[in-house]
Amino acid sequence: MVDFLSFRDDEPGQEPAVTFEAFAGQTNATAVRIEPGDDARALLPSLDRISLVEVNFPVFGDGRGYSAARILREAGYTGELRAVGDVLVDQIVAMRRCGFDSFRPDHPFDQTAVDAALARYADVYQKTVDGRAPVWAKRHPETTHG
Amino acid sequence: MYRYDQYDQSIVEARVAEFRDQTARRLSGALTEDQFKPLRLTNGLYLQLHAYMLRVAIPYGTLSGRQMRMLAHIARKYDRDYGHFTTRQNIQYNWIKLEDAPDILAELATVEMHAIQTSGNCIRNISSDQYAGVSADEVADPRPWAELLRQWSSFHPEFSYLPRKFKIAVIASPEDRAAMRLHDIGIELVQRDGVVGARVFAGGGMGRTPMVAPEIRDFVPESDLISYVEAALRVYNRYGRRDNKYKARIKILVHELGADEYRRQVEEEFAAMKQLGLDPPTAELDRIRGYFADPAYESGLPDSVDRSDPAFALWIDQNVKAHKQPGYAIVNISLKPAGGIPGDASSAQIDLVADLAERYSMDELRVTHAQNLVLPYVRKADLFAIWQALDDVGLAEANLDLISDIIACPGLDYCSLANARSITVAQKIANRFADPARQRDLGELKLKISGCINACGHHHAGHIGILGVDRKGVENYQLSLGGSGAEDASLGAITGPGFDENGIVDAVEKVTDIYVRERTAGERFLDTYRRIGMKPFKEALYG
Amino acid sequence: MKILTGNDLPTGDVIWWAGDGWSRQIAEAVDVGDMGDDLARREEAARHVVGAYVIDATPTDDGPRPAHIKDRIRALGPTVRPDLTLKPADPEAGQWVI
Ligand code: SF4
């Protein structure tokens, strides 16, 4: 069973993530944890000093964290982006596509299920922040290169 | 119509494999029901009153004869020999076994069909005008745009756990045949300076708090469509309410923020997103458009039809509509036979319609939000043969848009959320107004019935709407008047206290009597209601 | 009386707790007293049932009659398709629901 999963080459961030409010008043924190109601955009001015953002999913059905992740990546954040909480193995593909690169689920994943999920979809319809070419780009290589 | 390429096919097949694996994990106990439920729902699999129910997507209501035949096959092999066409142009099966569901999805995939996102808090099947491509009043065929949105919304990673379900409709005519403004996002294709673009509405919907969507953008060019809609969804995903399921639809967000503020936020998001290269090149929409090009119409076909059979002539006048191409017609097949179950079709009927589509309609047919079927490319010379074939299987009812062409959700006979039965009420009303001459005299009259406030039967948009409620464990029915899902969209107003099952049938008759008494020449029921208001109807009902 | 109902996990069939297992016939349902919730949890965990819940019913000569119309329709089948109910041969079966 897997209780931590990382797709990064560097060591996972160890610094305890501070809350969103604490982060605002603490100029030296480098790890922050955001809850579903927090506005990820407020972190954008501080991105260069952040090395870990934990996005909490108190319940798996609350999808705000997917938008938060994409917003951070779209703004150029390259540090660790970790999904924590009620994260299910059937969600990790979508989370990877939104820019998450590490996972600390409340309930450990089964490695076989992780591998199967990650291998399943060879093609995707949307362009997101994960660098995968959507099918429209594959269909029209001449117009979408570069 | 659209055909899958290797990418579309591989994605749908991957989904089948994924669901097979998820089902196996559920049956083995690796997944709890709480964990499995959202997974099966995004594959259209509900647990309903009597069994699992599977909803299969019919993107923008268009399908081929081969696909239609597959729907019959599934009804025969895995269900109890029938299916139910829904108000979102889909089909659902009422008696599915969980253990069969992966095989059913695999069979659907062989004909380029699926059940992806037909339920759950995600972007649902895109709906459209059943006359797309064949009506003279459209600025373009809306279906390529709908297909582009279908692909974009399929497995959208950011929008799989929205606050609530999300329904999009695309039309392209001034006449709205798809209840566009009662969708979470409604798109009307319009022309500006010779260029087609999208006029976007947001925040419509039925349910507990019905709303007609306000316009949020008068024109989105084709090259911005995806990033604009993506921005509209992102604002909703972030700020739509999640504290109360009944306030979670986008209509509440748009209403609470106000259309202007919602629009402002979307524009702001859009300005950022437009930079990200999320939009496919226009060549992609052109590629899709290629599949929706006009078929090879024959020229020089006769426009006249032999009307000497009076029953045939009545059917033509009621169910057959003008086609943009001379010599052709649009045939509506009513799934509302007298006393039948609205939207239900047996596998034999489904097969027969598949045959007719192949033989007489360029291998294409449509499903309408009014739970009827359409053959869109019929030579007028073939109308009589089609009518005879339909009559043989009980599908030649000449009642399109008349009082017996009732939209009814499954209600308490099938649906676990229902308060009251819908179908029985539809049957009783259809029987009360059984005389076809009386129906024709009443003219266009859209009667819509929902078994609970979720409003799957579109009762808010009915000229006459009926809502089933639970009154201390007894079925009770509220009557509303004056709704419309068309281009003159409006929400019905409740007449007053509810009625029991027989009382509601009497009540419907009373309001139609008032209409007959008060109407002026050429007025439909809805027009008369709008002119004279609720009072005379109330007096007749409760006076 | 209180009876326990739910759906069979693999097939989705409506089932009723019959004392030593599940039955498709409501006539075989037994009074679960105040044990219903515990039973439901145990049987759900064992994957014998999905969506189990306890309802009120009245004992009659033909077996328990659920207090709410929704459960009576579940017990019999759709009233608009008598041929698909548990009593297809009995044209009066639908009356029991109302
Ligand atoms: S309106 Fe209510 S009763 Fe009817 S199908 Fe929808 S949820 Fe079920």
Side-chain angles (χ1 to χ4, degrees), chain A residues 26-95:
Chain A
Q26 209 174 322
T27 48
N28 55 354
T30 62
V32 57
R33 176 183 176 105
I34 59 182
E35 300 294 332
D38 295 336
D39 179 10
R41 281 230 160 73
L43 297 178
L44 301 190
S46 331
L47 284 187
D48 51 358
R49 69 173 165 104
I50 303 178
S51 57
L52 169 64
V53 178
E54 287 187 355
V55 178
N56 187 31
F57 290 84
V59 288
F60 68 78
D62 189 331
R64 285 177 282 185
Y66 295 84
S67 289
R70 260 188 87 180
I71 285 168
L72 293 173
R73 290 294 189 221
E74 285 168 1
Y77 174 65
T78 54
E80 183 175 349
L81 189 50
R82 186 185 292 172
V84 303
D86 191 14
V87 176
L88 308 180
V89 72
D90 293 283
Q91 300 181 307
I92 60 174
V93 170
M95 288 182 169

Side-chain angles (χ1 to χ4, degrees), chain B residues 56-73:
Chain B
V56 176
I58 301 175
Y60 32 88
T62 293
L63 71 175
S64 68
R66 178 162 156 265
Q67 292 176 320
M68 187 73 163
R69 226 181 281 291
M70 175 58 78
L71 298 181
H73 166 75

